[in-house]
């Protein structure tokens, strides 16, 4: 069984982002580019789920990744991060088994 910190095996990572208000309100084009970026990753099977936290300027994306290198590439190519529209406030790794346990509980 994989442990959450074992980045050599495929696992999931939840990225938590916070909007930088002044920048986000002025850059709709970058936000659109960011949505397209994650839509392409979803089509490749990399994005499992995404959404916003209720009543907050935070959002999250749950990714299925194969390595720490793949995660770094995804983060490095995020248009929102590149253009300082959002900031990454947390990355939490977890195993596929933990995802399945959550799905059964819901």
């Amino acid at each position: 069984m994989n442990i959450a910190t074992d980045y050599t095996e495929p696992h999931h990572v939840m990225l938590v982002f916070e909007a930088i208000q002044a920048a986000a309100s002025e850059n709709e084009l970058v936000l659109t580019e960011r949505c397209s970026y994650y839509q392409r990753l979803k089509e490749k099977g990399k994005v499992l789920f995404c959404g916003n936290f209720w009543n907050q300027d935070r959002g999250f994306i749950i990714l299925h990744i194969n390595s720490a290198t793949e995660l770094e590439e995804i983060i490095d190519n995020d248009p929102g991060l590149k253009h300082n529209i959002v900031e990454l406030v947390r990355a939490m790794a977890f195993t596929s088994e933990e995802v399945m346990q959550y799905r059964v509980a819901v």
Side-chain angles (χ1 to χ4, degrees):
M1 180 168 121
N2 295 343
I3 58 173
T5 57
D6 184 0
Y7 289 102
T8 59
E9 297 293 327
H11 60 284
H12 295 87
V13 175
M14 179 164 65
L15 302 177
V16 179
F17 299 95
E18 188 168 316
I20 300 171
Q21 287 296 15
S25 64
E26 299 172 5
N27 288 292
E28 285 186 43
L29 244 103
V30 174
L31 293 174
T32 301
E33 181 184 345
R34 185 170 192 252
C35 286
S36 296
Y37 172 69
Y38 282 105
Q39 181 61 38
R40 288 190 303 274
L41 289 174
K42 183 177 183 178
E43 291 166 3
K44 294 178 181 179
K46 294 297 171 186
V47 174
L48 180 66
F49 192 73
C50 60
N52 294 313
F53 293 105
W54 186 62
N55 261 353
Q56 296 183 27
D57 290 328
R58 286 188 175 195
F60 66 91
I61 298 171
I62 298 176
L63 300 167
H64 175 77
I65 61 167
N66 294 314
S67 67
T69 303
E70 182 179 32
L71 177 61
E72 288 173 14
E73 289 174 8
I74 290 171
I75 291 170
D76 288 346
N77 290 309
D78 182 318
L81 292 170
K82 283 172 136 177
H83 295 281
N84 296 316
I85 303 303
V86 297
E87 65 178 319
L88 179 63
V89 294
R90 188 157 189 198
M92 297 178 291
F94 51 95
T95 64
S96 298
E97 291 87 8
E98 291 169 315
V99 171
M100 292 309 295
Q101 288 172 359
Y102 176 76
R103 285 184 175 177
V104 170
V106 176

